[in-house]
Coordinates of all heavy atoms in Angstrom, one line a residue:
M15 N 0.8 -1.2 0.0 CA 0.0 0.0 0.0 C 0.9 1.2 0.0 O 1.8 1.4 0.8 CB -0.9 0.0 1.3 CG -1.8 1.1 1.3 SD -3.0 0.8 2.7 CE -2.9 2.4 3.4
S16 N 0.6 2.2 -0.9 CA 1.4 3.4 -1.0 C 0.8 4.5 -0.1 O -0.4 4.5 0.2 CB 1.6 3.8 -2.4 OG 0.4 4.2 -2.9
S17 N 1.7 5.4 0.2 CA 1.2 6.5 1.1 C 0.4 7.5 0.3 O 0.7 7.7 -0.9 CB 2.5 7.2 1.6 OG 2.1 8.4 2.3
P18 N -0.6 8.2 0.9 CA -1.3 9.3 0.2 C -0.3 10.4 -0.1 O 0.7 10.6 0.6 CB -2.4 9.7 1.2 CG -1.9 9.2 2.5 CD -1.0 8.0 2.3
P19 N -0.6 11.2 -1.1 CA 0.3 12.3 -1.5 C 0.5 13.4 -0.4 O 1.5 14.1 -0.4 CB -0.2 12.9 -2.7 CG -1.7 12.4 -2.8 CD -1.7 11.2 -2.0
V20 N -0.4 13.5 0.5 CA -0.3 14.4 1.6 C -0.5 13.7 2.9 O -1.4 12.9 3.1 CB -1.5 15.5 1.5 CG1 -1.4 16.5 2.7 CG2 -1.3 16.3 0.2
F21 N 0.4 13.9 3.8 CA 0.4 13.3 5.1 C 0.9 14.2 6.2 O 1.8 15.1 5.9 CB 1.1 11.9 5.2 CG 2.5 12.0 4.8 CD1 3.5 12.0 5.7 CD2 2.9 12.0 3.4 CE1 4.8 12.1 5.4 CE2 4.2 12.0 3.1 CZ 5.2 12.1 4.0
K22 N 0.5 14.1 7.4 CA 0.9 15.0 8.5 C 2.3 14.6 9.0 O 2.6 13.4 9.2 CB -0.1 15.0 9.6 CG 0.1 16.0 10.7 CD -1.0 16.0 11.7 CE -0.8 17.1 12.7 NZ -1.9 17.1 13.6
L23 N 3.2 15.6 9.2 CA 4.5 15.4 9.7 C 4.5 15.8 11.2 O 3.9 16.8 11.6 CB 5.5 16.2 9.0 CG 5.8 15.8 7.6 CD1 6.8 16.7 6.9 CD2 6.4 14.3 7.5
A24 N 5.3 15.1 12.0 CA 5.6 15.5 13.3 C 7.1 16.1 13.3 O 8.0 15.3 13.2 CB 5.5 14.3 14.3
P25 N 7.2 17.4 13.4 CA 8.5 18.0 13.4 C 9.2 17.9 14.7 O 8.6 17.5 15.7 CB 8.3 19.5 13.1 CG 6.9 19.7 13.7 CD 6.2 18.4 13.5
T26 N 10.5 18.1 14.8 CA 11.3 18.1 16.0 C 11.8 19.5 16.2 O 11.9 20.3 15.3 CB 12.4 17.2 16.0 OG1 13.3 17.5 14.9 CG2 12.0 15.7 15.9
T27 N 12.0 19.9 17.5 CA 12.6 21.2 17.8 C 13.8 20.9 18.7 O 13.9 19.9 19.3 CB 11.6 22.0 18.6 OG1 11.2 21.4 19.8 CG2 10.3 22.3 17.7
Q28 N 14.7 21.9 18.7 CA 15.9 21.8 19.5 C 16.0 23.1 20.3 O 15.5 24.2 19.9 CB 17.1 21.7 18.6 CG 17.1 20.4 17.9 CD 18.3 20.2 16.9 OE1 18.8 21.2 16.4 NE2 18.8 19.0 16.8
Q29 N 16.6 23.0 21.5 CA 16.7 24.2 22.3 C 18.2 24.5 22.4 O 19.1 23.7 22.5 CB 16.2 23.9 23.7 CG 14.7 23.6 23.7 CD 14.2 23.4 25.1 OE1 14.9 23.5 26.1 NE2 12.9 23.0 25.2
Y30 N 18.5 25.8 22.4 CA 19.9 26.3 22.4 C 19.9 27.4 23.5 O 19.0 28.1 23.8 CB 20.3 26.9 21.1 CG 20.3 25.9 20.0 CD1 19.3 25.8 19.1 CD2 21.4 25.1 19.8 CE1 19.3 24.8 18.1 CE2 21.5 24.1 18.8 CZ 20.4 24.0 17.9 OH 20.5 23.1 16.9
D31 N 21.1 27.6 24.0 CA 21.4 28.6 25.1 C 21.0 30.0 24.6 O 20.5 30.8 25.4 CB 22.9 28.5 25.5 CG 23.2 29.5 26.6 OD1 22.4 29.6 27.5 OD2 24.3 30.2 26.5
W32 N 21.2 30.3 23.3 CA 20.9 31.6 22.8 C 19.5 31.8 22.4 O 19.1 32.9 21.9 CB 21.9 32.0 21.7 CG 22.0 30.9 20.7 CD1 23.0 29.9 20.7 CD2 21.2 30.6 19.6 NE1 22.8 29.1 19.6 CE2 21.7 29.4 18.9 CE3 20.0 31.1 19.1 CZ2 21.1 28.8 17.8 CZ3 19.4 30.5 18.0 CH2 20.0 29.4 17.4
G33 N 18.7 30.7 22.4 CA 17.3 30.8 21.9 C 16.4 31.5 22.9 O 16.6 31.6 24.0
K34 N 15.2 31.8 22.3 CA 14.2 32.5 23.1 C 13.4 31.4 23.8 O 12.8 30.5 23.1 CB 13.3 33.3 22.2 CG 12.3 34.2 22.8 CD 11.5 35.0 21.8 CE 11.1 36.3 22.3 NZ 10.3 37.0 21.3
P35 N 13.3 31.4 25.1 CA 12.6 30.3 25.8 C 11.1 30.5 25.9 O 10.6 31.6 25.8 CB 13.2 30.3 27.2 CG 13.6 31.8 27.4 CD 14.0 32.3 26.0
G36 N 10.4 29.4 26.1 CA 9.0 29.5 26.4 C 8.1 29.7 25.2 O 8.5 29.7 24.0
S37 N 6.8 29.9 25.5 CA 5.8 29.9 24.5 C 5.8 31.2 23.7 O 5.0 31.4 22.7 CB 4.4 29.7 25.2 OG 4.2 30.8 26.1
T38 N 6.6 32.2 24.1 CA 6.6 33.5 23.3 C 7.5 33.3 22.0 O 7.4 34.1 21.1 CB 7.2 34.6 24.1 OG1 8.5 34.3 24.5 CG2 6.4 35.0 25.3
A39 N 8.3 32.2 22.0 CA 9.1 31.9 20.8 C 8.3 31.4 19.6 O 7.4 30.6 19.8 CB 10.2 30.9 21.2
K40 N 8.5 31.9 18.5 CA 7.7 31.5 17.3 C 7.9 30.0 17.0 O 7.0 29.3 16.6 CB 8.2 32.3 16.0 CG 7.6 33.7 16.0 CD 6.1 33.6 15.8 CE 5.5 35.0 15.7 NZ 4.1 35.0 15.8
V41 N 9.1 29.5 17.3 CA 9.3 28.1 17.1 C 8.4 27.3 18.0 O 7.8 26.3 17.5 CB 10.8 27.7 17.4 CG1 11.0 26.2 17.4 CG2 11.8 28.4 16.5
A42 N 8.2 27.6 19.2 CA 7.3 26.9 20.1 C 5.9 27.1 19.6 O 5.1 26.1 19.7 CB 7.5 27.5 21.5
Q43 N 5.5 28.2 19.1 CA 4.2 28.4 18.7 C 3.9 27.6 17.4 O 2.8 27.0 17.3 CB 3.9 29.9 18.4 CG 3.9 30.8 19.6 CD 4.0 32.3 19.3 OE1 3.8 32.7 18.2 NE2 4.3 33.1 20.3
F44 N 4.9 27.6 16.5 CA 4.7 26.7 15.3 C 4.6 25.3 15.6 O 3.8 24.5 15.1 CB 5.8 27.0 14.3 CG 5.8 28.3 13.6 CD1 7.0 28.9 13.3 CD2 4.6 28.9 13.3 CE1 7.0 30.2 12.7 CE2 4.6 30.1 12.6 CZ 5.8 30.8 12.3
A45 N 5.5 24.8 16.5 CA 5.5 23.4 16.9 C 4.2 23.0 17.6 O 3.7 21.9 17.3 CB 6.7 23.1 17.9
A46 N 3.7 23.9 18.5 CA 2.4 23.6 19.1 C 1.3 23.5 18.1 O 0.3 22.7 18.3 CB 2.1 24.7 20.2
A47 N 1.3 24.3 17.1 CA 0.3 24.2 16.0 C 0.6 23.2 14.9 O -0.1 23.1 14.0 CB 0.1 25.6 15.4
S48 N 1.7 22.5 15.1 CA 2.2 21.5 14.1 C 2.3 22.1 12.7 O 1.9 21.5 11.7 CB 1.2 20.3 14.0 OG 1.3 19.6 15.2
Q49 N 2.9 23.3 12.6 CA 3.0 24.0 11.4 C 4.5 24.1 10.9 O 4.8 24.8 10.0 CB 2.5 25.4 11.5 CG 1.0 25.4 11.6 CD 0.4 26.8 11.8 OE1 1.2 27.8 12.0 NE2 -0.9 26.9 11.7
L50 N 5.4 23.4 11.6 CA 6.8 23.4 11.2 C 6.9 22.4 10.1 O 6.7 21.2 10.3 CB 7.7 23.0 12.3 CG 8.0 24.1 13.4 CD1 8.8 23.5 14.5 CD2 8.7 25.2 12.8
P51 N 7.4 22.8 8.9 CA 7.7 21.8 7.9 C 8.8 20.9 8.3 O 9.7 21.3 9.1 CB 8.1 22.6 6.7 CG 8.0 24.0 7.1 CD 7.7 24.1 8.5
G52 N 8.8 19.7 7.9 CA 9.8 18.8 8.3 C 10.7 18.3 7.2 O 10.3 18.3 6.0
F53 N 11.9 17.9 7.5 CA 12.8 17.4 6.5 C 13.6 16.2 7.1 O 13.2 15.7 8.2 CB 13.7 18.5 6.0 CG 12.9 19.6 5.3 CD1 12.5 20.7 5.9 CD2 12.6 19.4 4.0 CE1 11.7 21.6 5.3 CE2 11.8 20.3 3.3 CZ 11.4 21.4 3.9
T54 N 14.6 15.8 6.5 CA 15.2 14.5 6.8 C 16.6 14.6 7.4 O 17.3 13.6 7.3 CB 15.3 13.7 5.5 OG1 16.1 14.4 4.5 CG2 13.9 13.5 4.9
I55 N 16.9 15.7 8.1 CA 18.2 15.7 8.7 C 18.4 14.7 9.8 O 17.4 14.4 10.5 CB 18.5 17.2 9.2 CG1 17.5 17.6 10.2 CG2 18.6 18.2 8.1 CD1 17.8 18.9 11.0
D56 N 19.6 14.1 9.9 CA 19.7 13.0 10.9 C 19.6 13.4 12.3 O 19.1 12.6 13.1 CB 21.1 12.4 10.6 CG 21.2 11.6 9.3 OD1 20.1 11.1 8.9 OD2 22.3 11.4 8.8
D57 N 20.1 14.5 12.8 CA 20.1 14.8 14.2 C 18.7 15.4 14.7 O 18.5 15.5 15.9 CB 21.2 15.8 14.6 CG 21.1 17.1 13.8 OD1 20.4 17.2 12.8 OD2 21.8 18.1 14.3
S58 N 17.8 15.7 13.8 CA 16.5 16.1 14.2 C 15.5 15.9 13.1 O 14.9 16.8 12.6 CB 16.6 17.6 14.6 OG 15.3 18.1 15.1
P59 N 15.3 14.6 12.8 CA 14.4 14.3 11.7 C 12.9 14.4 12.0 O 12.5 14.3 13.2 CB 14.7 12.8 11.4 CG 15.1 12.2 12.7 CD 15.8 13.4 13.4
S60 N 12.1 14.7 11.0 CA 10.7 14.7 11.1 C 10.2 13.3 11.0 O 10.9 12.4 10.5 CB 10.1 15.6 10.0 OG 10.4 16.9 10.2
H61 N 9.0 13.1 11.5 CA 8.4 11.7 11.4 C 7.0 11.8 10.9 O 6.3 12.9 10.9 CB 8.3 11.2 12.9 CG 9.6 10.9 13.5 ND1 10.3 11.9 14.1 CD2 10.3 9.8 13.6 CE1 11.4 11.4 14.6 NE2 11.5 10.1 14.3
D62 N 6.5 10.7 10.3 CA 5.1 10.6 9.9 C 4.3 10.6 11.1 O 4.5 9.8 12.0 CB 4.9 9.3 9.1 CG 3.5 9.1 8.6 OD1 2.6 9.4 9.4 OD2 3.3 8.6 7.5
F63 N 3.4 11.5 11.3 CA 2.6 11.7 12.5 C 1.8 10.5 12.8 O 1.7 10.1 14.0 CB 1.7 12.9 12.3 CG 0.9 13.3 13.5 CD1 1.5 14.1 14.5 CD2 -0.4 12.9 13.7 CE1 0.8 14.4 15.7 CE2 -1.1 13.2 14.9 CZ -0.5 14.0 15.9
A64 N 1.2 9.8 11.8 CA 0.4 8.6 12.1 C 1.2 7.4 12.5 O 0.7 6.6 13.3 CB -0.4 8.3 10.8
T65 N 2.3 7.2 11.9 CA 3.1 5.9 12.1 C 4.3 6.1 13.0 O 4.8 5.1 13.5 CB 3.5 5.3 10.8 OG1 4.5 6.2 10.2 CG2 2.3 5.1 9.9
G66 N 4.8 7.3 13.1 CA 6.1 7.6 13.8 C 7.3 7.2 13.0 O 8.4 7.4 13.5
E67 N 7.1 6.8 11.8 CA 8.3 6.5 10.9 C 9.0 7.7 10.5 O 8.5 8.8 10.2 CB 7.7 5.8 9.7 CG 8.7 5.3 8.7 CD 8.1 4.6 7.5 OE1 7.0 5.0 7.0 OE2 8.6 3.6 7.1
K68 N 10.4 7.6 10.5 CA 11.2 8.8 10.1 C 10.8 9.2 8.6 O 10.5 8.3 7.8 CB 12.7 8.4 10.1 CG 13.3 8.4 11.5 CD 14.7 7.9 11.5 CE 15.7 8.8 10.9 NZ 17.1 8.4 11.1
L69 N 10.8 10.5 8.4 CA 10.5 11.0 7.1 C 11.3 10.3 6.0 O 10.8 9.9 4.9 CB 10.6 12.5 7.0 CG 10.3 13.1 5.7 CD1 8.8 12.8 5.2 CD2 10.4 14.6 5.8
S70 N 12.6 10.2 6.2 CA 13.5 9.6 5.2 C 13.1 8.2 4.8 O 13.1 7.8 3.7 CB 15.0 9.7 5.6 OG 15.2 9.1 6.8
A71 N 12.8 7.4 5.8 CA 12.4 6.0 5.6 C 11.0 6.0 4.9 O 10.8 5.2 4.0 CB 12.3 5.3 6.9
H72 N 10.1 6.9 5.2 CA 8.8 7.0 4.6 C 9.0 7.3 3.1 O 8.4 6.7 2.2 CB 7.9 8.0 5.3 CG 6.5 8.0 4.8 ND1 5.6 7.1 5.1 CD2 5.9 8.9 4.0 CE1 4.5 7.4 4.5 NE2 4.6 8.5 3.8
L73 N 9.9 8.3 2.8 CA 10.1 8.7 1.4 C 10.8 7.6 0.6 O 10.5 7.4 -0.6 CB 10.9 10.0 1.4 CG 10.1 11.2 1.9 CD1 11.0 12.4 1.9 CD2 8.8 11.5 1.2
A74 N 11.7 6.9 1.3 CA 12.4 5.8 0.6 C 11.4 4.7 0.2 O 11.5 4.2 -0.9 CB 13.5 5.2 1.5
K75 N 10.4 4.4 1.0 CA 9.5 3.4 0.7 C 8.4 3.9 -0.3 O 7.7 3.1 -0.9 CB 8.8 2.9 2.0 CG 9.7 2.0 2.8 CD 9.0 1.2 3.9 CE 8.2 2.1 4.8 NZ 7.7 1.4 6.0
N76 N 8.2 5.2 -0.4 CA 7.2 5.8 -1.2 C 7.8 6.8 -2.1 O 7.5 8.0 -2.1 CB 6.1 6.5 -0.3 CG 5.4 5.5 0.6 OD1 4.5 4.8 0.2 ND2 5.8 5.4 1.8
S77 N 8.7 6.3 -3.0 CA 9.4 7.2 -3.9 C 8.6 8.1 -4.8 O 9.0 9.1 -5.3 CB 10.4 6.4 -4.7 OG 9.7 5.5 -5.5
H78 N 7.3 7.7 -5.0 CA 6.4 8.5 -5.8 C 6.2 9.9 -5.2 O 5.8 10.8 -5.9 CB 5.1 7.7 -6.1 CG 4.3 7.6 -4.9 ND1 4.6 6.6 -3.9 CD2 3.2 8.2 -4.4 CE1 3.7 6.6 -2.9 NE2 2.8 7.6 -3.2
L79 N 6.4 10.0 -3.9 CA 6.2 11.3 -3.2 C 7.2 12.3 -3.6 O 7.0 13.5 -3.5 CB 6.1 11.1 -1.7 CG 5.0 10.2 -1.2 CD1 5.1 9.9 0.3 CD2 3.6 10.9 -1.5
I80 N 8.4 11.8 -3.9 CA 9.5 12.6 -4.3 C 9.5 12.9 -5.8 O 9.7 14.0 -6.3 CB 10.9 12.0 -4.0 CG1 11.0 11.8 -2.5 CG2 12.0 12.9 -4.5 CD1 12.3 11.1 -2.0
G81 N 9.2 11.9 -6.6 CA 9.2 11.9 -8.0 C 10.6 11.6 -8.6 O 11.6 11.9 -8.0
P82 N 10.6 11.0 -9.7 CA 11.9 10.5 -10.3 C 12.9 11.6 -10.6 O 14.1 11.5 -10.4 CB 11.5 9.7 -11.5 CG 10.1 10.1 -11.8 CD 9.5 10.6 -10.6
A83 N 12.4 12.7 -11.1 CA 13.3 13.8 -11.5 C 14.0 14.4 -10.3 O 15.2 14.7 -10.3 CB 12.5 14.9 -12.3
V84 N 13.3 14.6 -9.2 CA 13.8 15.2 -8.0 C 14.8 14.2 -7.4 O 15.9 14.5 -6.9 CB 12.8 15.6 -7.0 CG1 13.3 16.0 -5.7 CG2 11.9 16.8 -7.6
A85 N 14.4 12.9 -7.4 CA 15.2 11.9 -6.8 C 16.6 11.8 -7.5 O 17.6 11.7 -6.9 CB 14.5 10.5 -6.8
R86 N 16.5 11.9 -8.8 CA 17.8 11.8 -9.6 C 18.6 13.0 -9.4 O 19.8 13.0 -9.2 CB 17.4 11.6 -11.1 CG 17.2 10.2 -11.6 CD 17.2 10.1 -13.1 NE 16.3 11.1 -13.8 CZ 15.0 10.9 -13.9 NH1 14.4 9.8 -13.5 NH2 14.3 11.8 -14.5
K87 N 18.0 14.2 -9.5 CA 18.7 15.5 -9.4 C 19.5 15.6 -8.0 O 20.6 16.1 -8.0 CB 17.8 16.7 -9.6 CG 18.5 18.0 -9.5 CD 17.6 19.1 -9.9 CE 18.4 20.4 -9.8 NZ 17.7 21.6 -10.3
F88 N 18.8 15.2 -7.0 CA 19.4 15.3 -5.6 C 19.9 14.0 -5.0 O 20.1 14.0 -3.8 CB 18.3 16.0 -4.7 CG 18.0 17.4 -5.1 CD1 16.7 17.6 -5.7 CD2 18.9 18.4 -5.0 CE1 16.4 18.9 -6.1 CE2 18.5 19.7 -5.4 CZ 17.3 19.9 -5.9
N89 N 19.9 13.0 -5.8 CA 20.4 11.7 -5.4 C 19.6 11.2 -4.1 O 20.2 10.9 -3.1 CB 21.9 11.7 -5.1 CG 22.5 10.3 -4.9 OD1 21.9 9.3 -5.4 ND2 23.6 10.2 -4.2
A90 N 18.3 11.3 -4.2 CA 17.4 11.1 -3.0 C 16.7 9.8 -3.1 O 15.6 9.7 -2.5 CB 16.5 12.3 -2.9
E91 N 17.2 8.8 -3.8 CA 16.5 7.5 -3.9 C 16.3 6.9 -2.5 O 15.4 6.1 -2.2 CB 17.2 6.6 -4.8 CG 17.1 6.9 -6.3 CD 18.1 8.0 -6.7 OE1 19.0 8.3 -5.9 OE2 18.0 8.5 -7.8
D92 N 17.2 7.2 -1.5 CA 17.2 6.7 -0.2 C 16.2 7.5 0.7 O 16.1 7.2 1.9 CB 18.5 6.6 0.4 CG 19.2 8.0 0.6 OD1 18.6 9.0 0.1 OD2 20.3 8.1 1.1
G93 N 15.5 8.5 0.2 CA 14.6 9.2 0.9 C 15.2 10.5 1.6 O 14.4 11.2 2.2
N94 N 16.5 10.7 1.5 CA 17.1 11.8 2.1 C 17.1 13.0 1.2 O 17.6 12.9 0.0 CB 18.5 11.5 2.6 CG 18.5 10.7 3.8 OD1 17.9 11.0 4.8 ND2 19.2 9.5 3.8
L95 N 16.5 14.1 1.6 CA 16.5 15.3 0.7 C 17.5 16.3 1.2 O 17.7 16.4 2.4 CB 15.1 15.9 0.8 CG 13.9 15.1 0.3 CD1 12.6 15.7 0.6 CD2 14.1 14.8 -1.2
P96 N 18.1 17.0 0.3 CA 19.2 18.0 0.7 C 18.6 19.4 1.1 O 19.2 20.4 0.9 CB 20.0 18.1 -0.5 CG 19.0 18.0 -1.6 CD 18.0 16.9 -1.1
F97 N 17.5 19.4 1.8 CA 16.9 20.6 2.2 C 16.8 20.7 3.7 O 16.6 19.7 4.4 CB 15.4 20.7 1.7 CG 15.3 20.4 0.2 CD1 14.4 19.4 -0.2 CD2 16.0 21.1 -0.8 CE1 14.3 19.1 -1.5 CE2 15.9 20.8 -2.1 CZ 15.0 19.8 -2.5
L98 N 17.0 21.8 4.2 CA 16.9 22.0 5.7 C 16.2 23.3 6.0 O 16.6 24.4 5.5 CB 18.4 22.1 6.3 CG 18.5 22.4 7.8 CD1 17.8 21.3 8.6 CD2 19.9 22.5 8.2
F99 N 15.0 23.1 6.6 CA 14.2 24.3 6.9 C 14.4 24.6 8.4 O 14.3 23.7 9.3 CB 12.7 24.0 6.7 CG 11.8 25.1 7.0 CD1 11.6 26.2 6.2 CD2 11.2 25.1 8.3 CE1 10.8 27.2 6.5 CE2 10.4 26.2 8.6 CZ 10.2 27.2 7.7
K100 N 14.7 25.8 8.7 CA 14.9 26.2 10.1 C 14.1 27.4 10.5 O 14.1 28.3 9.7 CB 16.4 26.4 10.4 CG 17.3 25.2 10.6 CD 18.6 25.6 11.1 CE 19.4 24.4 11.4 NZ 20.7 24.7 12.1
V101 N 13.6 27.4 11.6 CA 12.9 28.6 12.2 C 13.7 28.9 13.5 O 13.8 28.0 14.4 CB 11.5 28.4 12.6 CG1 10.9 29.6 13.3 CG2 10.7 28.0 11.3
L102 N 14.4 30.0 13.5 CA 15.2 30.4 14.7 C 14.4 31.5 15.4 O 13.9 32.4 14.9 CB 16.5 31.0 14.2 CG 17.4 30.0 13.4 CD1 18.7 30.7 13.0 CD2 17.7 28.8 14.2
S103 N 14.4 31.3 16.7 CA 13.8 32.3 17.6 C 14.9 32.7 18.6 O 15.2 32.0 19.6 CB 12.6 31.7 18.3 OG 11.9 32.7 18.9
I104 N 15.6 33.8 18.3 CA 16.8 34.2 19.0 C 16.5 35.3 20.1 O 15.8 36.3 19.8 CB 17.8 34.8 18.0 CG1 18.2 33.7 17.0 CG2 19.1 35.3 18.7 CD1 18.9 34.2 15.8
Q105 N 17.1 35.0 21.2 CA 16.9 36.0 22.3 C 18.1 36.8 22.5 O 18.1 38.0 22.9 CB 16.6 35.3 23.6 CG 16.4 36.2 24.8 CD 15.8 35.6 26.0 OE1 14.7 35.0 25.9 NE2 16.5 35.5 27.1
K106 N 19.3 36.2 22.3 CA 20.5 37.0 22.5 C 21.5 36.8 21.4 O 21.5 35.8 20.7 CB 21.2 36.7 23.9 CG 21.6 35.2 24.0 CD 22.1 35.0 25.4 CE 22.3 33.5 25.7 NZ 22.8 33.2 27.0
A107 N 22.3 37.8 21.1 CA 23.2 37.8 20.0 C 24.3 36.7 20.3 O 24.7 36.5 21.4 CB 23.9 39.1 19.8
L108 N 24.8 36.1 19.2 CA 25.8 35.1 19.3 C 27.1 35.8 19.4 O 28.0 36.1 19.0 CB 25.8 34.1 18.2 CG 24.5 33.3 18.0 CD1 24.5 32.5 16.8 CD2 24.3 32.4 19.3

C-alpha cells in the first residue's frame, strides 16, 4: 500500500542557550500548532505523524512522493532530501 500524497508530519525542535525560551518563541508556537515543515536531517528528523516512521524512511518506501526527476537530481532515492528548513527564535546575539 502506498502513502497518500499528503500526510501529516511531526517536526522536532531543539533548544539552544541563545534561543528564546517559552511559549513566546515563534518556534514553540509553530511546533504547538504542528506547522513546522519537516525534513530529513539526521540529528532532528521529522516523522510521519500517524506511524512515527522517520520521514527519510517513509520517502524511501514511497518514492512516488519525491518523483523520479527530483530523486535523480538530488540523489534522493534513499529518501534523504538536501533541504533544511529552520525557524530560529533568537533572544541574545551570538
Side-chain angles (χ1 to χ4, degrees):
M15 182 172 134
S16 67
S17 174
V20 176
F21 57 97
K22 188 174 182 178
L23 291 176
T26 58
T27 59
Q28 296 177 325
Q29 296 181 8
Y30 296 97
D31 182 42
W32 46 264
K34 191 177 207 180
S37 60
T38 60
K40 282 294 183 195
V41 174
Q43 293 169 13
F44 289 145
S48 294
Q49 294 176 347
L50 283 175
F53 295 95
T54 60
I55 57 173
D56 287 334
D57 60 344
S58 186
S60 293
H61 296 81
D62 180 320
F63 186 82
T65 66
E67 181 178 40
K68 283 175 69 172
L69 178 59
S70 57
H72 186 77
L73 294 176
K75 288 194 301 190
N76 297 279
S77 60
H78 66 282
L79 296 173
I80 299 174
V84 171
R86 275 192 309 276
K87 181 174 182 174
F88 296 108
N89 193 26
E91 289 81 10
D92 61 356
N94 285 307
L95 298 172
F97 312 124
L98 176 61
F99 179 83
K100 283 191 174 188
V101 177
L102 300 177
S103 196
I104 299 169
Q105 179 167 302
K106 58 183 171 182
L108 298 176

